[in-house]
Amino acid sequence: MRPPPSDTQKQSVLGNTGRNADLVTELTRARQQVQSLEERARQAHLAYLRETVLHEQSVETFPLAFAIWNRLGRLVRWNGAFRRLVAYEAQELAGRDLPGLIHSEDQPVFGDAIARAFDRGEQMQIQVRLEAKNGERIPIDCRLRAARVAREEYVFLAAEDIRQSLSTENDLRRAKERLDLALSASSLALWDWDLGSDTVYFNEGWAALLGAPLREATFSGDEVYALCHPDDQERYDRAVSAALQGARATFECEYRTQKMNGEWMWVASRGKVTQRKDNGDPKRLTGTSADITARKEAEERADFLATRDALTGLPNRLLLLDRLEQGVSNAARKRTGIGVLLVDLDNFKTINDSLGHDIGDDLLCQVGQRLAPCLRVTDTLARLGGDEFAVVLENLDIDGQRGTQHVAEKILHAMAAPFQVHGHQLNSSCSIGISLFPADGRDANALMRAADVAMYDAKKHGRNTYKFFAQEMNARAHERLAIESYLRSALARDELRLYFQPRVGFARNDLLGVEALLRWQHPQRGLIGPDKFIGVAEDSGLIVPIGEWVLTRACQQVRAWQRDLGELKVSVNVSVGQIADGERLFSAVTRALDDSGLAPDALELELTESLLMMQVDEKVTLLNRLGKLGVSVAIDDFGTGYSSLSYLKRLPVDALKIDKSFVKDVEVDMHDTAIVRAILALAHSLKLNAVAEGVETARQHAALRSMGCDEFQGYFASPPLPAHEFEERYFARC
Ligand code: C2E
Ligand code: MG
Ligand code: MG
C-alpha cells in the first residue's frame, strides 16, 4: 500500500492540470488492476481452502484406514478410520514412526513391500497386523503406493480391517477341517461337482479310498464315469441323470470303481443337487462316497449261501426257481423247449435213518457228483433238499421230449453202480419225474408241480424209472396231498383205529395172539388202509406219534382181552422213522407196557428186513435192551429184502414172518415151495418161530402145516377185525 500524497505533492499535481488528469486516470486504472488482482488472489485462496477441506473431508470420510508417511517413516497424514483402528489420539500419532505401528513379526514383510513400492513404483498389496495402542493385533489388508511430491517422497497406505473376514475364513477352515476329520473317521469321501465348469472336486478322503497319496483332486465328469466299472456305468448314469433332472430328490448309487492298485472297490455314493440356476437347471451336485467293498462281499457271500445248498454246494431251490423263471421267459421268446427233471432217491430215508446222517450226507454229495456229468454246462443241477435233486434243461426243441428222455436215461444209468460210502456199499436208485415247457406248464411253479406229480408216479411204478407228466397224474397227486394234510389232524380228532388179526398156531389151531393193524376212519372217505397213508406218515415224520399211539392202544386192548382170554400176545408194526430214534422207541415201549400193565413178553415188535439190515450194531443194542425187558422181535415180510442172512445170527430176533407173496402159490409153485422150505429151515436152525402171512386157503394152510410152519395169519382164519368184532368172534368161543 502506498502512503497518501503530501500537500506539496498535491500542490504540484494541481499545478499542472493536464498532466494531472492523465495521472488520475492512470492511477484509477492501476487501482482497478490491483483490486482485480486482489480479488483473484482471494478467489484462488478460497478455491485452495475449499479443495483442502474437500480433500481432507474425503480422506476423513474414506471408509478405509488411510495414512501417509514420509521417507523417514514419520506419519504425516491419517484419517479417522486409521486412528480408530490403532486407537491412538491425534496428537499421539503426529510424527509417529508408522512401521512401529506394525506388529514386529510382520515388519520385514512390510519393510520389503515399501522398498519395492519405492523401487518399482508399483502398488503393493500385503496383509500385516497393526499393533493397536491397547496391544491388540489387527489384521489388515493394505495397499501401498510411493510418490514424490515437491521433491519429498511419501508412502500412501489404504488399509482394510480384515478381522471379520479372517474369522469367517478361519471358521470356514475349521469347519472344513472338522468335516474332513469326521469324513476321514467315517471313511467317507466328499465330492462336489460343479456342472458349469464340469469339475468334480474330491477331498483327501477320496484319495485315501483309492489308495492314492493324500491330496485333493479334481476330475471331469467323464473321467469319474470312466473310473466306474463297465457293468455299473449304466446304473451310475441313470442315477446321476435322475438326480440332475429332478426325477429323484437324491443321487444314490452303488458301483465299482478302480483303485490305484487295480483292484475294484465297491462304492456307495449319495448326494444331491445343492444349487440350481433360476431356470431350474442344476448347477452343482454335492455328496459323499464310502467304500462298501466289505459289505458288498458279505452280501455276495450271503447271496451265494442263500442260493446254494450248504451240503453239496449246488444251487438250491431258490436259485433253481430263479433260473427256471428266467429260462421260461427266454424259451417263450426264442420258441424253444425246457425240460424239468425231479430226481428223488429211492431208499435214501432208510439209509439215512439207519446208517446215520454222515453217511447219508456223503451219499448225497456223491449223487450230486454223478448227476453233474450227465448235463451240459448250460443246464442247471440243484439240490432241493433231502434226497431231492432237480435238473433244468434249456434250449431243447419245442417238444423237448427226446432231449429230456436222453438225460433221464443217462441219470438212471449213472446211478446204477453202487456207491462206496464209509466202507458201505450202497445201492441207491432214483425215480425221476419230468415236466416240459410249454406243454405241462407256463411258469416255474407249474412246471415244478407237474414234475413232482410225475415223480410220485415214477415211485409208484416200481421206482428206478422216469415218468413224463400226464394230466391224469394230477388226481393222484391231489389225493396224496389231501392225505397228508388230513393225517396231521387225524390223531387229534381220534380218527385212527386198530384192527386185530389173529395169529393161529398150526399145532392146535389155537389163538396165540393178534397183530395190531392200523386203519384210518376218514370222516368223508370211510376206512382207509395203511398202504394208503403209512408212506405219507413216514415221509412227513408223522409216523412217530402215530406209531406211539398204536403201541399204547394195542397194549391196552390186549391187556383188557387177556382178562377173558388168558394168554394172548400182540404184535405191533414198527417203521423206519420210529427205529431211527432208538431211545424214543424204547421209552415209548416201556411207557405203553407200564400204562397198560401188559407183561413185556406179551408184546412183539415187527420190523422189516431192510430196517434191520443197516447199522446192525445199533440195532443189536436196541433190540437187546428190548429183549432184556422181555419184548420179542419178529422180522416182517421176510424174504423180500434180498439181504444178507448173516445178520440174523447177530440180531436178537424171535420170529420170522414169511411174506405172503411166497405163501400165495406155496402149494403150486415149486420155487415158492422151495423158498418157504428154506425159510422154515433157517428159522428153525436159529430156533426162531416161523409165521406164515396171508394164508387164505385150506390148501395153503395144509401145505404150510405139512412143511412144519409154526403159526399163520390170514383170511383162512380171519381178516383183521375191529375190536368189537374180534370180541364177538373169540369171546363167544371161550
Ligand atoms: P404187514 O405187517 O405185513 O401186515 C399184514 C398185511 O397183510 C395186512 O395188511 C393184512 O391185512 C394183510 N393180510 C392179512 N391176511 C391176509 C390174507 O389172507 N391175504 C392178503 N392178501 N392179505 C392179508 P394191512 O393191514 O393193509 O397192512 C399193510 C401193511 O401196513 C402192514 O403189512 C404193515 O407193514 C403196515 N402197517 C399196518 N399197521 C401198521 C402200523 O401200525 N404201523 C406200521 N408202521 N405199519 C403198519
Ligand atoms: Mg406186520
Ligand atoms: Mg407182513
Side-chain angles (χ1 to χ4, degrees):
M1 285 272 255
R2 269 183 275 179
S6 64
D7 285 346
T8 44
Q9 276 175 329
K10 278 180 190 169
Q11 274 300 314
S12 67
V13 170
L14 288 173
N16 195 351
T17 324
R19 281 191 53 206
N20 280 353
D22 290 345
L23 270 172
V24 168
T25 316
E26 188 95 348
L27 261 172
T28 309
R29 200 182 301 135
R31 191 176 293 132
Q32 281 170 344
Q33 274 178 348
V34 166
Q35 279 173 347
S36 138
L37 277 174
E38 279 176 352
E39 180 57 28
R40 276 164 61 192
R42 210 178 65 244
Q43 289 298 334
H45 183 63
L46 273 176
Y48 169 74
L49 280 178
R50 206 181 298 121
E51 260 321 293
T52 309
V53 170
L54 280 176
H55 191 256
E56 279 178 352
Q57 283 305 310
S58 50
V59 168
E60 191 58 30
T61 54
F62 194 47
L64 299 180
F66 180 74
I68 305 173
W69 69 101
N70 62 19
R71 186 79 210 234
L72 298 173
R74 302 265 174 259
L75 261 184
V76 291
R77 284 285 159 79
W78 61 87
N79 68 355
F82 183 81
R83 194 170 47 72
R84 282 192 294 279
L85 210 54
V86 289
Y88 279 103
E89 295 302 326
Q91 59 274 24
E92 292 174 308
L93 277 179
R96 212 181 160 86
D97 175 13
L98 178 92
L101 290 170
I102 304 291
H103 177 47
S104 58
E105 282 177 14
D106 297 342
Q107 281 183 11
V109 184
F110 192 67
D112 191 46
I114 291 174
R116 282 172 43 199
F118 273 115
D119 292 350
R120 301 191 197 160
E122 287 172 10
Q123 173 176 289
M124 303 300 297
Q125 183 172 7
I126 52 168
Q127 289 186 359
V128 289
R129 283 161 293 176
L130 282 178
E131 199 119 350
K133 187 178 174 186
N134 61 5
E136 194 188 344
R137 283 159 200 175
I138 299 142
I140 53 167
D141 181 64
C142 58
R143 288 181 171 77
L144 296 167
R145 183 182 282 281
R148 182 182 284 270
V149 180
R151 300 205 193 131
E152 277 282 356
E153 285 176 325
Y154 295 96
V155 177
F156 296 79
L157 168 139
E160 187 186 359
D161 178 356
I162 54 170
R163 272 179 296 192
Q164 183 66 40
S165 63
L166 268 189
S167 85
T168 314
E169 209 171 279
N170 278 340
D171 287 352
L172 276 175
R173 200 180 56 240
R174 249 175 268 128
K176 182 178 176 299
E177 277 167 8
R178 274 200 297 272
L179 180 63
D180 280 349
L181 197 69
L183 291 173
S184 66
S186 64
S187 72
L188 280 174
L190 183 75
W191 49 263
D192 185 17
W193 186 0
D194 182 343
L195 294 153
S197 61
D198 188 26
T199 323
V200 192
Y201 156 81
F202 284 99
N203 76 340
E204 304 90 338
W206 181 250
L209 287 190
L210 290 181
L214 275 183
R215 63 186 156 74
E216 300 174 359
T218 53
F219 297 90
S220 72
D222 280 350
E223 283 170 330
V224 178
Y225 177 81
L227 283 172
C228 189
H229 192 285
D231 292 351
D232 302 339
Q233 283 177 342
E234 198 189 316
R235 188 154 28 93
Y236 171 86
D237 213 27
R238 252 187 284 123
V240 170
S241 305
L244 294 185
Q245 287 158 14
R248 293 200 51 167
T250 52
F251 158 71
E252 274 175 53
C253 188
E254 294 186 353
Y255 56 95
R256 279 158 293 177
T257 194
Q258 202 155 29
K259 296 210 312 192
M260 297 302 282
N261 61 6
E263 282 174 14
W264 288 104
M265 159 177 73
W266 271 102
V267 172
S269 287
R270 275 180 68 103
K272 61 179 186 183
V273 175
T274 44
Q275 243 181 313
R276 286 192 183 273
K277 294 185 200 160
D278 292 342
N279 65 0
D281 285 353
K283 260 175 89 174
R284 65 192 320 134
L285 186 68
T286 312
T288 55
S289 297
D291 178 357
I292 52 159
T293 312
R295 192 197 87 201
K296 274 284 173 187
E297 280 172 0
E299 276 175 12
E300 274 166 18
R301 180 94 197 108
D303 236 28
F304 180 83
L305 291 177
T307 54
R308 298 286 147 164
D309 166 47
L311 177 65
T312 58
L314 292 172
N316 64 9
R317 180 183 292 272
L318 201 74
L319 184 54
L320 180 99
L321 284 175
D322 196 52
R323 296 223 180 130
L324 183 54
E325 205 73 70
Q326 191 78 43
V328 163
S329 61
N330 288 343
R333 214 177 42 246
K334 296 192 290 184
R335 304 194 61 72
T336 53
I338 293 182
V340 179
L341 292 85
L342 276 193
V343 182
D344 192 281
L345 305 191
D346 287 334
N347 53 352
F348 180 75
K349 200 161 167 46
T350 313
I351 292 172
N352 203 41
D353 288 345
S354 15
L355 293 182
H357 294 284
D358 286 352
I359 291 186
D361 286 355
D362 264 28
L363 176 65
L364 290 171
C365 289
Q366 286 194 32
V367 169
Q369 286 156 14
R370 282 208 193 168
L371 295 181
C374 302
L375 314 172
R376 293 171 305 181
V377 278
T378 47
D379 300 331
T380 303
L381 167 64
R383 179 175 168 237
L384 304 183
D387 57 350
E388 212 174 23
F389 293 81
V391 172
V392 172
L393 308 174
E394 290 187 59
N395 296 317
L396 302 176
D397 57 33
I398 195 79
D399 167 45
Q401 191 141 7
R402 248 184 11 165
T404 317
Q405 183 169 359
H406 174 69
V407 174
E409 277 163 7
K410 257 166 100 177
I411 290 177
L412 289 182
H413 182 73
M415 295 287 290
F419 291 83
Q420 294 295 337
V421 187
H422 293 222
H424 296 265
Q425 181 165 316
L426 302 173
N427 287 305
S428 190
S429 60
C430 63
S431 304
I432 306 175
I434 303 171
S435 65
L436 299 172
F437 171 85
D440 304 330
R442 295 249 159 204
D443 61 52
N445 284 328
L447 288 167
M448 292 295 282
R449 269 199 309 273
D452 197 49
V453 168
M455 198 268 292
Y456 274 106
D457 207 66
K459 289 250 185 239
K460 278 201 127 164
H461 283 81
R463 308 177 171 223
N464 194 25
T465 184
Y466 60 88
K467 285 277 170 196
F468 280 92
F469 172 78
Q471 256 336 308
E472 58 271 21
M473 292 176 181
N474 258 335
R476 291 198 289 270
H478 282 141
E479 183 179 320
R480 209 190 133 78
L481 268 180
I483 287 175
E484 186 175 332
S485 64
Y486 279 116
L487 192 56
R488 287 191 182 279
S489 38
L491 248 182
R493 289 199 302 245
D494 199 23
E495 290 169 6
L496 297 181
R497 304 278 179 272
L498 278 188
Y499 274 46
F500 299 90
Q501 185 173 39
R503 253 167 83 163
V504 183
F506 274 109
R508 291 197 299 270
N509 206 28
D510 51 347
L511 176 70
L512 300 174
V514 288
E515 176 174 6
L517 292 160
L518 189 58
R519 302 287 182 268
W520 177 9
Q521 186 64 54
H522 192 282
Q524 281 93 40
R525 301 180 185 199
L527 200 63
I528 302 179
D531 53 322
K532 289 274 193 309
F533 65 89
I534 288 286
V536 178
E538 279 182 349
D539 288 351
S540 59
L542 281 169
I543 192 66
V544 175
I546 289 179
E548 288 170 356
W549 178 87
V550 172
L551 264 170
T552 309
R553 285 289 302 127
C555 290
Q556 278 171 352
Q557 185 61 77
V558 171
R559 176 72 193 105
W561 286 338
Q562 279 179 344
R563 290 182 193 117
D564 295 299
L565 298 173
E567 234 178 79
L568 187 71
K569 288 188 77 167
V570 60
S571 313
V572 172
N573 294 283
V574 173
S575 75
V576 189
Q578 289 173 274
I579 205 139
D581 186 350
E583 203 53 51
R584 181 161 177 175
L585 177 63
F586 186 80
S587 39
V589 167
T590 47
R591 208 173 333 114
L593 292 172
D594 288 350
D595 291 353
S596 62
L598 188 76
D601 61 5
L603 175 65
E604 183 171 76
L605 301 182
E606 294 190 7
L607 290 91
T608 55
E609 265 181 280
S610 54
L611 258 180
L612 292 168
M613 213 176 85
M614 291 181 273
Q615 280 212 325
V616 173
D617 290 344
E618 264 182 32
K619 304 286 153 48
V620 170
T621 317
L622 172 69
L623 298 186
N624 273 333
R625 284 177 74 195
L626 290 168
K628 276 201 190 114
L629 273 183
V631 175
S632 50
V633 173
I635 298 182
D636 205 353
D637 306 340
F638 191 80
T640 56
Y642 310 106
S643 54
S644 137
L645 297 179
S646 61
Y647 70 90
L648 271 183
K649 275 200 293 193
R650 300 179 52 205
L651 285 169
V653 173
D654 307 279
L656 298 184
K657 296 188 79 173
I658 305 166
D659 192 69
K660 53 180 174 284
S661 58
F662 306 114
V663 171
K664 191 163 170 273
D665 295 322
V666 69
E667 81 287 13
V668 284
D669 185 326
M670 52 187 271
H671 294 291
D672 286 345
T673 317
I675 290 172
V676 172
R677 275 193 200 288
I679 296 174
L680 289 173
L682 178 81
H684 292 149
S685 74
L686 291 170
K687 310 229 168 343
L688 305 178
N689 215 11
V691 187
E693 290 187 300
V695 178
E696 295 181 355
T697 63
R699 291 167 129 219
Q700 289 165 344
H701 181 261
L704 287 158
R705 182 184 189 152
S706 70
M707 285 179 203
C709 191
D710 304 297
E711 297 173 29
F712 77 93
Q713 270 178 251
Y715 301 159
F716 181 64
S718 164
L721 300 168
H724 66 274
E725 280 185 37
F726 181 86
E727 287 166 9
E728 277 167 24
R729 184 187 276 224
Y730 287 94
F731 280 38
R733 285 196 201 163
C734 42

